[in-house]
Amino acid sequence: MADTRERSDTSDRTLPSALRGRGVVLSFAPWIIFDVIAGPSTWKLGAFAAFVAAVVFSLPDFQHRKVKLLDAAGILFFGVIALLGCFLDRHDLIWLETYSQVLSSGVLALIALVSLVTVPFTEQYARESAPRELWNTPGFRRANRIITAVWTAVFVATAVLGLVALHTEGMGDWYNWVIPVILLVLAIKFTKWYPAHIRAQAH
């Protein structure tokens, strides 16, 4: 019986706890800032604000030379958009004005999808609250792949909803804001709930 308890405790420890530290939500902040500000006449301001936020939020990780994937992607993505806005004419950037929010969601979806076949992006945050010896265990990796897959689905859905909003009258707020916010909240809750759920099952 003692052996069974020991195995259960060991299995439990291989799973990430709720993502703490700076947190994945803080890394999403620049993307959220961009989506809130960006519009036909404000996307340049949105890109600049998001770029500054991405740099500022990444400063602690820069000091430790451990910049996370989402932070690095945000700095690069919003930096490029801000530069385009500075050096190209408005006529050349109509496509960016139109699809700025869809593009940001699509880039997030691509980043998350690529991380699924390499290192799940949520794993970088989970490692902040898990001992190093557990980082390569099957339970730890599997839990993060599932959580990252949920976030990937949310990003894809948000991008698709943004496209639909561009071609649908009267439902723009629902497709651009209401449903995406609901999906974001559900993903955050799942990120916190799933590891605790698996640990409870292990007992």
Side-chain angles (χ1 to χ4, degrees), residues 16-17 19-20 121-130 135 140 144:
S17 59
L19 303 184
R20 295 194 294 268
F121 77 87
T122 60
E123 189 171 312
Q124 293 181 303
Y125 303 91
R127 287 180 177 183
E128 294 180 342
S129 59
W135 292 358
F140 186 85
N144 276 287

Side-chain angles (χ1 to χ4, degrees), residues 190-202:
F190 180 83
T191 299
K192 296 179 178 179
W193 168 82
Y194 183 71
H197 170 69
I198 297 299
R199 286 197 300 274
Q201 285 189 331

Side-chain angles (χ1 to χ4, degrees), residues 172-192:
D173 288 343
W174 278 91
Y175 293 141
N176 281 323
W177 299 108
V178 178
I179 298 177
V181 168
I182 291 173
L183 293 176
L184 178 64
V185 171
L186 290 176
I188 293 172
K189 288 183 176 296
F190 180 83
T191 299
K192 296 179 178 179

Side-chain angles (χ1 to χ4, degrees), residues 69 103-116 152 155-156:
L69 176 62
L103 183 60
S104 66
S105 297
V107 168
L108 275 175
L110 180 61
I111 293 169
L113 185 61
V114 170
S115 78
L116 275 174
T152 302
F155 299 146
V156 170

Side-chain angles (χ1 to χ4, degrees), residues 42-193:
T42 58
W43 64 268
K44 294 180 183 180
L45 175 62
F48 179 76
F51 173 74
V52 172
V55 172
V56 171
F57 293 153
S58 299
L59 287 179
D61 286 340
F62 274 125
Q63 294 175 348
H64 296 90
R65 298 181 180 179
K66 293 182 179 180
V67 179
K68 295 179 177 63
L69 176 62
L70 281 184
D71 296 331
I75 292 172
L76 179 61
F77 178 74
F78 297 118
V80 169
I81 291 182
L83 286 175
L84 289 176
C86 290
F87 294 105
L88 295 182
D89 294 332
R90 183 176 183 273
H91 175 75
D92 298 323
L93 296 173
I94 292 297
W95 62 273
L96 188 52
E97 287 192 9
T98 303
Y99 295 101
S100 58
Q101 292 176 316
V102 175
L103 183 60
S104 66
S105 297
V107 168
L108 275 175
L110 180 61
I111 293 169
L113 185 61
V114 170
S115 78
L116 275 174
V117 298
T118 54
V119 177
F121 77 87
T122 60
E123 189 171 312
Q124 293 181 303
Y125 303 91
R127 287 180 177 183
E128 294 180 342
S129 59
R132 181 179 293 272
E133 63 268 19
L134 304 180
W135 292 358
N136 293 319
T137 57
F140 186 85
R141 298 301 299 273
R142 180 176 181 275
N144 276 287
R145 289 192 183 281
I146 291 175
I147 294 172
T148 297
V150 169
W151 280 105
T152 302
V154 169
F155 299 146
V156 170
T158 301
V160 171
L161 287 169
L163 280 174
V164 173
L166 292 173
H167 303 285
T168 304
E169 295 183 1
M171 294 289 290
D173 288 343
W174 278 91
Y175 293 141
N176 281 323
W177 299 108
V178 178
I179 298 177
V181 168
I182 291 173
L183 293 176
L184 178 64
V185 171
L186 290 176
I188 293 172
K189 288 183 176 296
F190 180 83
T191 299
K192 296 179 178 179
W193 168 82

